[in-house]
Amino acid sequence: MKTLHDIHTECMAALLKALGPDDAIRFLQIYETGSGDWTKERKTLLEDDPDKIIKSIMARRKKVPTP
């Protein structure tokens, strides 16, 4: 009897073979269920101040090495 991990592995391999990596990712994004309650979390996740958001993005970009 196959385990759930075995089934998942086989399905991912078939999906990648049939669609290729880019379309397989796009397909999986359609069915991403996520977790949590967006209506409750959005206030803490979204900043009111656009300058804070921009500074945060710029700080993260400085940490990522460019190839």
Side-chain angles (χ1 to χ4, degrees):
M1 179 176 191
K2 293 180 185 178
T3 65
L4 291 177
H5 178 73
D6 294 337
I7 294 168
H8 181 265
T9 302
E10 285 183 35
C11 289
M12 290 302 296
L15 186 65
L16 286 168
K17 182 178 179 182
L19 298 178
D22 293 339
D23 288 340
I25 289 170
R26 291 176 65 207
F27 173 79
L28 292 172
Q29 287 173 336
I30 293 169
Y31 295 102
E32 176 62 40
T33 57
S35 62
D37 184 348
W38 168 250
T39 58
K40 292 179 183 176
E41 295 175 8
R42 69 179 170 203
K43 290 180 183 177
T44 59
L45 295 173
L46 299 175
E47 295 280 345
D48 292 334
D49 185 0
D51 291 329
K52 286 183 182 179
I53 296 170
I54 292 169
K55 286 178 185 176
S56 171
I57 292 169
M58 297 307 288
R60 278 187 255 149
R61 285 185 179 176
K62 288 179 183 177
K63 291 179 183 177
V64 177
T66 56

